[in-house]
Amino acid sequence: LATSRRQAVASIAWSVLLLPPTTALYVVLSRFSLFHPLQWLTECLTVLTSASAIFSFILLCGVVLLVGFFNLEYYSVVPSIACSKIALLGHVLHPRQFFHSLVHCIMGVVVAWCCAVTIGGRYQALGEVTGTSHGPQMCLNENHLVLLLAGAFVGYSHSLLGLVHNMNYISFHTVQQYKYLCFKGTLPLVMRASAVQALYSLRNFLALYFFMGYVPRAWVCRTLDLQVDSSVYSLDCVSGLLDLSLLYQLWISASFLLFTWYITVLLFRIFVTEAYSFPVQPTFQEDAHQCLPEVITGKQPTILKFLALQDLARLSNHCPSRRQEVFSLSQPGGHPLTWTAVNRECLSLLSDLTERLVSHHDNVASNGRTKFRSWVLFPPPGGSRSWVLAHVHHPLTSSLMSIIPSRLPSCPSSPHVFPHVHHPLTSSLTSSLMSLTSLTSSLTSRCGPWPICFMMSDWVLFSLQLPEASSQALFADSQAHIWALEGLSHLVAASYSEDQYGVVQTTLPSILSAMLMLQEAVDRHFKLPHASSKPGRSSFSMGDSSYKTLRFALRATLKTSIYRITATFGEHLNAVQMSSEHRKRLQNFLEYKE
């Protein structure tokens, strides 16, 4: 855990160290002058050495530190996937996300103020003295206000898009690179993403300011007792927003803001996911909690568990000496404690995923949507407080209330629960209402003729499910299962020639059974609609969308792992005890028919 924190702190430190050249580049671009190059360079040097620039740089350092802190607090190696639009709205309105958005909005204003001070000129201050017929007055500088509001908007957009596109999700690369090479290769992508996203955010902000710009302008003038200069055109009009100099400064400032934040995110991802080699067996007893088996099986932070499983996959494939430590027996006692711990945890991971897939398959309809139960409540006659209750299965509705204001003379006053009324699972509301009509007829035949009036109120909730997102959520943590499969299969294959004590062969039946059961569950899941569809490419380039294809990677890894074992042991696997169904499936692997 201490190592992981040191890596996070190192990434934040590098982000601060990269801030001076980034700020210098912003100053050069913000004061760009094609026809006066010498004056341009002289002004840049003057600005960079001024007291206001130094103070702005200190503020920018504080913002970068705060962004790094949020990265550390909000990152996750398991993405948070909303399976419906309602769930996504719940994530957006969550207090934790609201706080995140609010702070990023404030940080956006701080960065925009630093940019305004750096640019100078007509963007320097919020108020400026203007001469009028009534003498000099302190008037609002709308250029400065627009720059601050744009910073707030870009900060909020960054927070919102980070939630929607899982920017706090950290994935592990299959091929490990040196940190410098990884940073160098990704830097052009970050620059392009910053510039493009700044354009999109600027477009949305200008549209919002065009319609609502008078609101913050009037509030600032009233709060700070500033006047509106009538001799200057307002910026919430077409001619005001088509000021090319203003548009350029807004775009450069937004790009600078996003670039500094994206760089912080990029460095955090690179440092935190760097491969770490855990000792397989402790040199001293007090260091036992730092060993690979203890980290894998213990209640550690998820990032440490993922790093340990990654190390297990690496050592099982590339490190014969470390594999021998896994196969070794404890002294004294002669028990395979290391292998037992590793094998138990890996099988537990595979078993959990199998149960999750089986449960999901049992709870979904044939169209891939979750089955929901809708309740219909009927108030009984005589003003009694008892309710007549029935429920209907339908994939779209999650709650439905029907109010019957008339008396029910043929129905008893005690509450009744009527049987389910099933109907074909369709996605149309018409089918749902037809089913409710049939339910009404059924109840009428039992309780006599009713003058029934159905009223669909705001309590009717439609679960706008996203079937592909549900499939992605099932496999959200499958990177751990992929490493568990790779580690187990490589260790089992290596044990054929390296396991001197036969500790692996005793657990071979349980390993094969767990893999084959998972194979069956995965095959069933991929027969569901939307489960086998390839996800579209995300337009948000800084969001890591690799989690969307984890289910395909898991399926390929699972099949490769079983083939790795069958290719190594061959016909010897016929002596392994297993069920007839598993033996039949294993035979297909032995004959390369899967």
PDB file of all heavy atoms in Angstrom, residues 7 170-183 269-277 306-307 309-311 314 318 479 483:
ATOM      1  N   GLN A   7       3.807   5.894  -5.549  1.00  0.00           N
ATOM      2  CA  GLN A   7       3.657   6.048  -6.998  1.00  0.00           C
ATOM      3  C   GLN A   7       2.677   7.169  -7.320  1.00  0.00           C
ATOM      4  O   GLN A   7       2.900   7.956  -8.246  1.00  0.00           O
ATOM      5  CB  GLN A   7       3.164   4.734  -7.613  1.00  0.00           C
ATOM      6  CG  GLN A   7       4.158   3.589  -7.521  1.00  0.00           C
ATOM      7  CD  GLN A   7       5.317   3.774  -8.480  1.00  0.00           C
ATOM      8  OE1 GLN A   7       6.237   4.553  -8.223  1.00  0.00           O
ATOM      9  NE2 GLN A   7       5.271   3.066  -9.592  1.00  0.00           N
ATOM     10  N   ILE A 170      -9.017   2.978 -14.220  1.00  0.00           N
ATOM     11  CA  ILE A 170      -7.613   2.733 -14.544  1.00  0.00           C
ATOM     12  C   ILE A 170      -7.477   1.301 -15.036  1.00  0.00           C
ATOM     13  O   ILE A 170      -7.802   0.358 -14.316  1.00  0.00           O
ATOM     14  CB  ILE A 170      -6.706   2.965 -13.318  1.00  0.00           C
ATOM     15  CG1 ILE A 170      -6.775   4.443 -12.914  1.00  0.00           C
ATOM     16  CG2 ILE A 170      -5.277   2.562 -13.609  1.00  0.00           C
ATOM     17  CD1 ILE A 170      -5.954   4.764 -11.698  1.00  0.00           C
ATOM     18  N   SER A 171      -7.031   1.160 -16.270  1.00  0.00           N
ATOM     19  CA  SER A 171      -6.834  -0.169 -16.842  1.00  0.00           C
ATOM     20  C   SER A 171      -5.344  -0.503 -16.864  1.00  0.00           C
ATOM     21  O   SER A 171      -4.482   0.386 -16.781  1.00  0.00           O
ATOM     22  CB  SER A 171      -7.400  -0.232 -18.261  1.00  0.00           C
ATOM     23  OG  SER A 171      -6.712   0.654 -19.116  1.00  0.00           O
ATOM     24  N   PHE A 172      -5.059  -1.777 -16.985  1.00  0.00           N
ATOM     25  CA  PHE A 172      -3.679  -2.271 -17.014  1.00  0.00           C
ATOM     26  C   PHE A 172      -3.343  -2.719 -18.430  1.00  0.00           C
ATOM     27  O   PHE A 172      -4.094  -3.480 -19.040  1.00  0.00           O
ATOM     28  CB  PHE A 172      -3.510  -3.442 -16.040  1.00  0.00           C
ATOM     29  CG  PHE A 172      -3.653  -3.062 -14.606  1.00  0.00           C
ATOM     30  CD1 PHE A 172      -4.903  -2.871 -14.042  1.00  0.00           C
ATOM     31  CD2 PHE A 172      -2.539  -2.879 -13.802  1.00  0.00           C
ATOM     32  CE1 PHE A 172      -5.054  -2.523 -12.721  1.00  0.00           C
ATOM     33  CE2 PHE A 172      -2.675  -2.527 -12.475  1.00  0.00           C
ATOM     34  CZ  PHE A 172      -3.931  -2.346 -11.934  1.00  0.00           C
ATOM     35  N   HIS A 173      -2.232  -2.222 -18.929  1.00  0.00           N
ATOM     36  CA  HIS A 173      -1.842  -2.558 -20.294  1.00  0.00           C
ATOM     37  C   HIS A 173      -1.292  -3.979 -20.359  1.00  0.00           C
ATOM     38  O   HIS A 173      -0.606  -4.442 -19.443  1.00  0.00           O
ATOM     39  CB  HIS A 173      -0.788  -1.572 -20.806  1.00  0.00           C
ATOM     40  CG  HIS A 173      -1.298  -0.165 -20.904  1.00  0.00           C
ATOM     41  ND1 HIS A 173      -2.158   0.245 -21.896  1.00  0.00           N
ATOM     42  CD2 HIS A 173      -1.081   0.923 -20.120  1.00  0.00           C
ATOM     43  CE1 HIS A 173      -2.443   1.522 -21.731  1.00  0.00           C
ATOM     44  NE2 HIS A 173      -1.808   1.960 -20.657  1.00  0.00           N
ATOM     45  N   THR A 174      -1.603  -4.647 -21.455  1.00  0.00           N
ATOM     46  CA  THR A 174      -1.114  -6.007 -21.652  1.00  0.00           C
ATOM     47  C   THR A 174       0.403  -6.024 -21.789  1.00  0.00           C
ATOM     48  O   THR A 174       1.089  -6.880 -21.224  1.00  0.00           O
ATOM     49  CB  THR A 174      -1.764  -6.629 -22.900  1.00  0.00           C
ATOM     50  OG1 THR A 174      -3.182  -6.548 -22.780  1.00  0.00           O
ATOM     51  CG2 THR A 174      -1.346  -8.078 -23.059  1.00  0.00           C
ATOM     52  N   VAL A 175       0.930  -5.066 -22.542  1.00  0.00           N
ATOM     53  CA  VAL A 175       2.377  -4.958 -22.752  1.00  0.00           C
ATOM     54  C   VAL A 175       2.895  -3.811 -21.894  1.00  0.00           C
ATOM     55  O   VAL A 175       2.485  -2.659 -22.058  1.00  0.00           O
ATOM     56  CB  VAL A 175       2.708  -4.708 -24.234  1.00  0.00           C
ATOM     57  CG1 VAL A 175       4.208  -4.582 -24.430  1.00  0.00           C
ATOM     58  CG2 VAL A 175       2.132  -5.827 -25.099  1.00  0.00           C
ATOM     59  N   GLN A 176       3.793  -4.125 -20.977  1.00  0.00           N
ATOM     60  CA  GLN A 176       4.358  -3.114 -20.091  1.00  0.00           C
ATOM     61  C   GLN A 176       5.449  -2.327 -20.815  1.00  0.00           C
ATOM     62  O   GLN A 176       6.287  -2.879 -21.513  1.00  0.00           O
ATOM     63  CB  GLN A 176       4.943  -3.771 -18.846  1.00  0.00           C
ATOM     64  CG  GLN A 176       3.888  -4.273 -17.870  1.00  0.00           C
ATOM     65  CD  GLN A 176       3.179  -3.137 -17.146  1.00  0.00           C
ATOM     66  OE1 GLN A 176       3.779  -2.113 -16.820  1.00  0.00           O
ATOM     67  NE2 GLN A 176       1.892  -3.316 -16.909  1.00  0.00           N
ATOM     68  N   GLN A 177       5.410  -0.989 -20.650  1.00  0.00           N
ATOM     69  CA  GLN A 177       6.417  -0.107 -21.217  1.00  0.00           C
ATOM     70  C   GLN A 177       7.067   0.710 -20.109  1.00  0.00           C
ATOM     71  O   GLN A 177       6.515   0.853 -19.013  1.00  0.00           O
ATOM     72  CB  GLN A 177       5.790   0.857 -22.235  1.00  0.00           C
ATOM     73  CG  GLN A 177       5.382   0.225 -23.546  1.00  0.00           C
ATOM     74  CD  GLN A 177       4.842   1.273 -24.509  1.00  0.00           C
ATOM     75  OE1 GLN A 177       3.909   2.000 -24.193  1.00  0.00           O
ATOM     76  NE2 GLN A 177       5.436   1.354 -25.682  1.00  0.00           N
ATOM     77  N   TYR A 178       8.250   1.238 -20.421  1.00  0.00           N
ATOM     78  CA  TYR A 178       8.850   2.189 -19.495  1.00  0.00           C
ATOM     79  C   TYR A 178       7.954   3.423 -19.397  1.00  0.00           C
ATOM     80  O   TYR A 178       7.281   3.806 -20.360  1.00  0.00           O
ATOM     81  CB  TYR A 178      10.252   2.584 -19.955  1.00  0.00           C
ATOM     82  CG  TYR A 178      11.270   1.484 -19.831  1.00  0.00           C
ATOM     83  CD1 TYR A 178      11.783   0.858 -20.960  1.00  0.00           C
ATOM     84  CD2 TYR A 178      11.717   1.060 -18.581  1.00  0.00           C
ATOM     85  CE1 TYR A 178      12.723  -0.159 -20.851  1.00  0.00           C
ATOM     86  CE2 TYR A 178      12.650   0.046 -18.454  1.00  0.00           C
ATOM     87  CZ  TYR A 178      13.145  -0.559 -19.595  1.00  0.00           C
ATOM     88  OH  TYR A 178      14.065  -1.581 -19.477  1.00  0.00           O
ATOM     89  N   LYS A 179       7.973   4.040 -18.225  1.00  0.00           N
ATOM     90  CA  LYS A 179       7.078   5.175 -17.993  1.00  0.00           C
ATOM     91  C   LYS A 179       7.316   6.298 -19.007  1.00  0.00           C
ATOM     92  O   LYS A 179       6.370   6.896 -19.518  1.00  0.00           O
ATOM     93  CB  LYS A 179       7.252   5.681 -16.560  1.00  0.00           C
ATOM     94  CG  LYS A 179       6.763   4.700 -15.495  1.00  0.00           C
ATOM     95  CD  LYS A 179       6.696   5.348 -14.137  1.00  0.00           C
ATOM     96  CE  LYS A 179       8.082   5.596 -13.574  1.00  0.00           C
ATOM     97  NZ  LYS A 179       8.731   4.335 -13.163  1.00  0.00           N
ATOM     98  N   TYR A 180       8.573   6.575 -19.299  1.00  0.00           N
ATOM     99  CA  TYR A 180       8.876   7.663 -20.231  1.00  0.00           C
ATOM    100  C   TYR A 180       8.342   7.365 -21.624  1.00  0.00           C
ATOM    101  O   TYR A 180       7.739   8.234 -22.275  1.00  0.00           O
ATOM    102  CB  TYR A 180      10.391   7.887 -20.294  1.00  0.00           C
ATOM    103  CG  TYR A 180      10.810   8.823 -21.398  1.00  0.00           C
ATOM    104  CD1 TYR A 180      10.575  10.192 -21.289  1.00  0.00           C
ATOM    105  CD2 TYR A 180      11.421   8.341 -22.561  1.00  0.00           C
ATOM    106  CE1 TYR A 180      10.937  11.053 -22.316  1.00  0.00           C
ATOM    107  CE2 TYR A 180      11.789   9.195 -23.583  1.00  0.00           C
ATOM    108  CZ  TYR A 180      11.542  10.552 -23.459  1.00  0.00           C
ATOM    109  OH  TYR A 180      11.895  11.397 -24.478  1.00  0.00           O
ATOM    110  N   LEU A 181       8.526   6.140 -22.087  1.00  0.00           N
ATOM    111  CA  LEU A 181       8.050   5.783 -23.424  1.00  0.00           C
ATOM    112  C   LEU A 181       6.523   5.810 -23.492  1.00  0.00           C
ATOM    113  O   LEU A 181       5.948   6.241 -24.498  1.00  0.00           O
ATOM    114  CB  LEU A 181       8.572   4.397 -23.811  1.00  0.00           C
ATOM    115  CG  LEU A 181      10.084   4.266 -23.977  1.00  0.00           C
ATOM    116  CD1 LEU A 181      10.466   2.827 -24.304  1.00  0.00           C
ATOM    117  CD2 LEU A 181      10.577   5.210 -25.075  1.00  0.00           C
ATOM    118  N   CYS A 182       5.897   5.359 -22.432  1.00  0.00           N
ATOM    119  CA  CYS A 182       4.428   5.386 -22.396  1.00  0.00           C
ATOM    120  C   CYS A 182       3.916   6.823 -22.410  1.00  0.00           C
ATOM    121  O   CYS A 182       2.952   7.149 -23.124  1.00  0.00           O
ATOM    122  CB  CYS A 182       3.939   4.652 -21.156  1.00  0.00           C
ATOM    123  SG  CYS A 182       2.153   4.415 -21.085  1.00  0.00           S
ATOM    124  N   PHE A 183       4.561   7.702 -21.632  1.00  0.00           N
ATOM    125  CA  PHE A 183       4.161   9.109 -21.601  1.00  0.00           C
ATOM    126  C   PHE A 183       4.406   9.782 -22.947  1.00  0.00           C
ATOM    127  O   PHE A 183       3.535  10.506 -23.462  1.00  0.00           O
ATOM    128  CB  PHE A 183       4.933   9.833 -20.499  1.00  0.00           C
ATOM    129  CG  PHE A 183       4.669  11.313 -20.440  1.00  0.00           C
ATOM    130  CD1 PHE A 183       3.513  11.798 -19.852  1.00  0.00           C
ATOM    131  CD2 PHE A 183       5.577  12.209 -20.981  1.00  0.00           C
ATOM    132  CE1 PHE A 183       3.259  13.155 -19.805  1.00  0.00           C
ATOM    133  CE2 PHE A 183       5.329  13.574 -20.941  1.00  0.00           C
ATOM    134  CZ  PHE A 183       4.167  14.044 -20.345  1.00  0.00           C
ATOM    135  N   ARG A 269      -2.237   7.449 -14.124  1.00  0.00           N
ATOM    136  CA  ARG A 269      -2.477   6.113 -14.674  1.00  0.00           C
ATOM    137  C   ARG A 269      -1.163   5.371 -14.915  1.00  0.00           C
ATOM    138  O   ARG A 269      -1.043   4.176 -14.599  1.00  0.00           O
ATOM    139  CB  ARG A 269      -3.242   6.223 -16.000  1.00  0.00           C
ATOM    140  CG  ARG A 269      -4.683   6.675 -15.872  1.00  0.00           C
ATOM    141  CD  ARG A 269      -5.291   6.853 -17.246  1.00  0.00           C
ATOM    142  NE  ARG A 269      -6.695   7.268 -17.185  1.00  0.00           N
ATOM    143  CZ  ARG A 269      -7.410   7.611 -18.257  1.00  0.00           C
ATOM    144  NH1 ARG A 269      -6.846   7.589 -19.458  1.00  0.00           N
ATOM    145  NH2 ARG A 269      -8.668   7.966 -18.127  1.00  0.00           N
ATOM    146  N   ILE A 270      -0.180   6.057 -15.461  1.00  0.00           N
ATOM    147  CA  ILE A 270       1.092   5.408 -15.786  1.00  0.00           C
ATOM    148  C   ILE A 270       1.801   4.930 -14.527  1.00  0.00           C
ATOM    149  O   ILE A 270       2.302   3.799 -14.462  1.00  0.00           O
ATOM    150  CB  ILE A 270       1.991   6.372 -16.592  1.00  0.00           C
ATOM    151  CG1 ILE A 270       1.374   6.630 -17.977  1.00  0.00           C
ATOM    152  CG2 ILE A 270       3.391   5.806 -16.740  1.00  0.00           C
ATOM    153  CD1 ILE A 270       2.121   7.673 -18.776  1.00  0.00           C
ATOM    154  N   PHE A 271       1.853   5.776 -13.510  1.00  0.00           N
ATOM    155  CA  PHE A 271       2.592   5.431 -12.298  1.00  0.00           C
ATOM    156  C   PHE A 271       1.883   4.351 -11.477  1.00  0.00           C
ATOM    157  O   PHE A 271       2.524   3.429 -10.966  1.00  0.00           O
ATOM    158  CB  PHE A 271       2.816   6.683 -11.443  1.00  0.00           C
ATOM    159  CG  PHE A 271       4.028   7.482 -11.833  1.00  0.00           C
ATOM    160  CD1 PHE A 271       3.984   8.362 -12.905  1.00  0.00           C
ATOM    161  CD2 PHE A 271       5.216   7.352 -11.136  1.00  0.00           C
ATOM    162  CE1 PHE A 271       5.095   9.099 -13.279  1.00  0.00           C
ATOM    163  CE2 PHE A 271       6.347   8.079 -11.495  1.00  0.00           C
ATOM    164  CZ  PHE A 271       6.283   8.962 -12.575  1.00  0.00           C
ATOM    165  N   VAL A 272       0.558   4.468 -11.341  1.00  0.00           N
ATOM    166  CA  VAL A 272      -0.165   3.549 -10.464  1.00  0.00           C
ATOM    167  C   VAL A 272      -0.219   2.139 -11.047  1.00  0.00           C
ATOM    168  O   VAL A 272      -0.206   1.153 -10.301  1.00  0.00           O
ATOM    169  CB  VAL A 272      -1.583   4.089 -10.193  1.00  0.00           C
ATOM    170  CG1 VAL A 272      -2.440   3.051  -9.487  1.00  0.00           C
ATOM    171  CG2 VAL A 272      -1.503   5.341  -9.325  1.00  0.00           C
ATOM    172  N   THR A 273      -0.262   2.019 -12.371  1.00  0.00           N
ATOM    173  CA  THR A 273      -0.374   0.698 -12.989  1.00  0.00           C
ATOM    174  C   THR A 273       0.979   0.080 -13.324  1.00  0.00           C
ATOM    175  O   THR A 273       1.022  -0.946 -14.000  1.00  0.00           O
ATOM    176  CB  THR A 273      -1.209   0.789 -14.277  1.00  0.00           C
ATOM    177  OG1 THR A 273      -0.584   1.714 -15.181  1.00  0.00           O
ATOM    178  CG2 THR A 273      -2.622   1.245 -13.972  1.00  0.00           C
ATOM    179  N   GLU A 274       2.052   0.690 -12.868  1.00  0.00           N
ATOM    180  CA  GLU A 274       3.375   0.098 -13.129  1.00  0.00           C
ATOM    181  C   GLU A 274       3.476  -1.264 -12.439  1.00  0.00           C
ATOM    182  O   GLU A 274       3.089  -1.430 -11.282  1.00  0.00           O
ATOM    183  CB  GLU A 274       4.476   1.027 -12.609  1.00  0.00           C
ATOM    184  CG  GLU A 274       5.873   0.547 -12.948  1.00  0.00           C
ATOM    185  CD  GLU A 274       6.943   1.461 -12.407  1.00  0.00           C
ATOM    186  OE1 GLU A 274       6.619   2.297 -11.536  1.00  0.00           O
ATOM    187  OE2 GLU A 274       8.099   1.357 -12.841  1.00  0.00           O
ATOM    188  N   ALA A 275       3.990  -2.237 -13.174  1.00  0.00           N
ATOM    189  CA  ALA A 275       4.082  -3.609 -12.650  1.00  0.00           C
ATOM    190  C   ALA A 275       4.980  -3.648 -11.415  1.00  0.00           C
ATOM    191  O   ALA A 275       6.015  -2.966 -11.347  1.00  0.00           O
ATOM    192  CB  ALA A 275       4.620  -4.545 -13.723  1.00  0.00           C
ATOM    193  N   TYR A 276       4.571  -4.462 -10.445  1.00  0.00           N
ATOM    194  CA  TYR A 276       5.322  -4.595  -9.195  1.00  0.00           C
ATOM    195  C   TYR A 276       5.528  -6.075  -8.911  1.00  0.00           C
ATOM    196  O   TYR A 276       4.630  -6.894  -9.101  1.00  0.00           O
ATOM    197  CB  TYR A 276       4.558  -3.942  -8.039  1.00  0.00           C
ATOM    198  CG  TYR A 276       5.295  -3.954  -6.725  1.00  0.00           C
ATOM    199  CD1 TYR A 276       6.311  -3.044  -6.471  1.00  0.00           C
ATOM    200  CD2 TYR A 276       4.982  -4.883  -5.740  1.00  0.00           C
ATOM    201  CE1 TYR A 276       6.992  -3.051  -5.271  1.00  0.00           C
ATOM    202  CE2 TYR A 276       5.654  -4.897  -4.530  1.00  0.00           C
ATOM    203  CZ  TYR A 276       6.661  -3.982  -4.301  1.00  0.00           C
ATOM    204  OH  TYR A 276       7.333  -4.008  -3.116  1.00  0.00           O
ATOM    205  N   SER A 277       6.725  -6.419  -8.474  1.00  0.00           N
ATOM    206  CA  SER A 277       7.065  -7.816  -8.192  1.00  0.00           C
ATOM    207  C   SER A 277       6.987  -8.064  -6.684  1.00  0.00           C
ATOM    208  O   SER A 277       7.767  -7.498  -5.906  1.00  0.00           O
ATOM    209  CB  SER A 277       8.474  -8.131  -8.713  1.00  0.00           C
ATOM    210  OG  SER A 277       8.795  -9.470  -8.481  1.00  0.00           O
ATOM    211  N   PHE A 306      -5.122  -6.346  -7.660  1.00  0.00           N
ATOM    212  CA  PHE A 306      -4.935  -6.420  -9.105  1.00  0.00           C
ATOM    213  C   PHE A 306      -3.448  -6.505  -9.462  1.00  0.00           C
ATOM    214  O   PHE A 306      -3.054  -7.265 -10.351  1.00  0.00           O
ATOM    215  CB  PHE A 306      -5.575  -5.208  -9.779  1.00  0.00           C
ATOM    216  CG  PHE A 306      -7.013  -5.408 -10.145  1.00  0.00           C
ATOM    217  CD1 PHE A 306      -7.950  -5.756  -9.180  1.00  0.00           C
ATOM    218  CD2 PHE A 306      -7.452  -5.258 -11.446  1.00  0.00           C
ATOM    219  CE1 PHE A 306      -9.281  -5.951  -9.501  1.00  0.00           C
ATOM    220  CE2 PHE A 306      -8.770  -5.457 -11.791  1.00  0.00           C
ATOM    221  CZ  PHE A 306      -9.693  -5.804 -10.820  1.00  0.00           C
ATOM    222  N   LEU A 307      -2.621  -5.721  -8.780  1.00  0.00           N
ATOM    223  CA  LEU A 307      -1.180  -5.776  -9.035  1.00  0.00           C
ATOM    224  C   LEU A 307      -0.614  -7.150  -8.685  1.00  0.00           C
ATOM    225  O   LEU A 307       0.272  -7.668  -9.373  1.00  0.00           O
ATOM    226  CB  LEU A 307      -0.461  -4.690  -8.237  1.00  0.00           C
ATOM    227  CG  LEU A 307      -0.657  -3.247  -8.723  1.00  0.00           C
ATOM    228  CD1 LEU A 307      -0.066  -2.270  -7.716  1.00  0.00           C
ATOM    229  CD2 LEU A 307      -0.013  -3.057 -10.091  1.00  0.00           C
ATOM    230  N   LEU A 309      -2.305 -10.052  -8.720  1.00  0.00           N
ATOM    231  CA  LEU A 309      -2.746 -11.005  -9.740  1.00  0.00           C
ATOM    232  C   LEU A 309      -1.980 -10.807 -11.042  1.00  0.00           C
ATOM    233  O   LEU A 309      -1.674 -11.778 -11.747  1.00  0.00           O
ATOM    234  CB  LEU A 309      -4.247 -10.843  -9.984  1.00  0.00           C
ATOM    235  CG  LEU A 309      -5.153 -11.352  -8.860  1.00  0.00           C
ATOM    236  CD1 LEU A 309      -6.583 -10.897  -9.077  1.00  0.00           C
ATOM    237  CD2 LEU A 309      -5.079 -12.874  -8.771  1.00  0.00           C
ATOM    238  N   GLN A 310      -1.667  -9.565 -11.363  1.00  0.00           N
ATOM    239  CA  GLN A 310      -0.839  -9.305 -12.539  1.00  0.00           C
ATOM    240  C   GLN A 310       0.547  -9.922 -12.373  1.00  0.00           C
ATOM    241  O   GLN A 310       1.092 -10.529 -13.316  1.00  0.00           O
ATOM    242  CB  GLN A 310      -0.722  -7.798 -12.766  1.00  0.00           C
ATOM    243  CG  GLN A 310       0.082  -7.417 -14.005  1.00  0.00           C
ATOM    244  CD  GLN A 310       0.353  -5.933 -14.072  1.00  0.00           C
ATOM    245  OE1 GLN A 310       0.722  -5.315 -13.062  1.00  0.00           O
ATOM    246  NE2 GLN A 310       0.174  -5.344 -15.243  1.00  0.00           N
ATOM    247  N   ASP A 311       1.112  -9.794 -11.177  1.00  0.00           N
ATOM    248  CA  ASP A 311       2.421 -10.392 -10.914  1.00  0.00           C
ATOM    249  C   ASP A 311       2.346 -11.913 -10.973  1.00  0.00           C
ATOM    250  O   ASP A 311       3.271 -12.578 -11.452  1.00  0.00           O
ATOM    251  CB  ASP A 311       2.910  -9.930  -9.539  1.00  0.00           C
ATOM    252  CG  ASP A 311       4.320 -10.397  -9.245  1.00  0.00           C
ATOM    253  OD1 ASP A 311       5.168 -10.382 -10.169  1.00  0.00           O
ATOM    254  OD2 ASP A 311       4.581 -10.792  -8.092  1.00  0.00           O
ATOM    255  N   ARG A 314       2.450 -12.921 -14.550  1.00  0.00           N
ATOM    256  CA  ARG A 314       3.794 -12.742 -15.116  1.00  0.00           C
ATOM    257  C   ARG A 314       4.749 -13.834 -14.650  1.00  0.00           C
ATOM    258  O   ARG A 314       5.485 -14.420 -15.451  1.00  0.00           O
ATOM    259  CB  ARG A 314       4.335 -11.360 -14.736  1.00  0.00           C
ATOM    260  CG  ARG A 314       3.653 -10.216 -15.474  1.00  0.00           C
ATOM    261  CD  ARG A 314       4.045  -8.851 -14.948  1.00  0.00           C
ATOM    262  NE  ARG A 314       5.479  -8.640 -14.965  1.00  0.00           N
ATOM    263  CZ  ARG A 314       6.222  -8.452 -13.885  1.00  0.00           C
ATOM    264  NH1 ARG A 314       5.669  -8.468 -12.675  1.00  0.00           N
ATOM    265  NH2 ARG A 314       7.514  -8.254 -14.006  1.00  0.00           N
ATOM    266  N   HIS A 318       6.824 -16.417 -17.056  1.00  0.00           N
ATOM    267  CA  HIS A 318       8.178 -15.984 -17.427  1.00  0.00           C
ATOM    268  C   HIS A 318       9.244 -16.237 -16.367  1.00  0.00           C
ATOM    269  O   HIS A 318      10.417 -15.994 -16.650  1.00  0.00           O
ATOM    270  CB  HIS A 318       8.167 -14.474 -17.735  1.00  0.00           C
ATOM    271  CG  HIS A 318       7.208 -14.079 -18.810  1.00  0.00           C
ATOM    272  ND1 HIS A 318       7.359 -14.440 -20.132  1.00  0.00           N
ATOM    273  CD2 HIS A 318       6.052 -13.346 -18.748  1.00  0.00           C
ATOM    274  CE1 HIS A 318       6.368 -13.949 -20.848  1.00  0.00           C
ATOM    275  NE2 HIS A 318       5.560 -13.275 -20.032  1.00  0.00           N
ATOM    276  N   GLN A 479     -10.744  -8.264 -15.419  1.00  0.00           N
ATOM    277  CA  GLN A 479      -9.292  -8.268 -15.556  1.00  0.00           C
ATOM    278  C   GLN A 479      -8.659  -9.160 -14.496  1.00  0.00           C
ATOM    279  O   GLN A 479      -7.675  -9.856 -14.759  1.00  0.00           O
ATOM    280  CB  GLN A 479      -8.754  -6.845 -15.435  1.00  0.00           C
ATOM    281  CG  GLN A 479      -7.261  -6.715 -15.664  1.00  0.00           C
ATOM    282  CD  GLN A 479      -6.848  -7.192 -17.042  1.00  0.00           C
ATOM    283  OE1 GLN A 479      -7.158  -6.565 -18.039  1.00  0.00           O
ATOM    284  NE2 GLN A 479      -6.126  -8.298 -17.111  1.00  0.00           N
ATOM    285  N   TRP A 483      -6.316 -12.577 -15.278  1.00  0.00           N
ATOM    286  CA  TRP A 483      -5.008 -12.892 -14.694  1.00  0.00           C
ATOM    287  C   TRP A 483      -5.053 -14.194 -13.904  1.00  0.00           C
ATOM    288  O   TRP A 483      -4.080 -14.959 -13.906  1.00  0.00           O
ATOM    289  CB  TRP A 483      -4.558 -11.749 -13.789  1.00  0.00           C
ATOM    290  CG  TRP A 483      -4.063 -10.562 -14.547  1.00  0.00           C
ATOM    291  CD1 TRP A 483      -3.390 -10.554 -15.737  1.00  0.00           C
ATOM    292  CD2 TRP A 483      -4.195  -9.188 -14.155  1.00  0.00           C
ATOM    293  NE1 TRP A 483      -3.098  -9.273 -16.121  1.00  0.00           N
ATOM    294  CE2 TRP A 483      -3.568  -8.409 -15.169  1.00  0.00           C
ATOM    295  CE3 TRP A 483      -4.761  -8.551 -13.065  1.00  0.00           C
ATOM    296  CZ2 TRP A 483      -3.513  -7.019 -15.109  1.00  0.00           C
ATOM    297  CZ3 TRP A 483      -4.704  -7.180 -13.014  1.00  0.00           C
ATOM    298  CH2 TRP A 483      -4.085  -6.420 -14.020  1.00  0.00           C
TER     299      TRP A 483
END
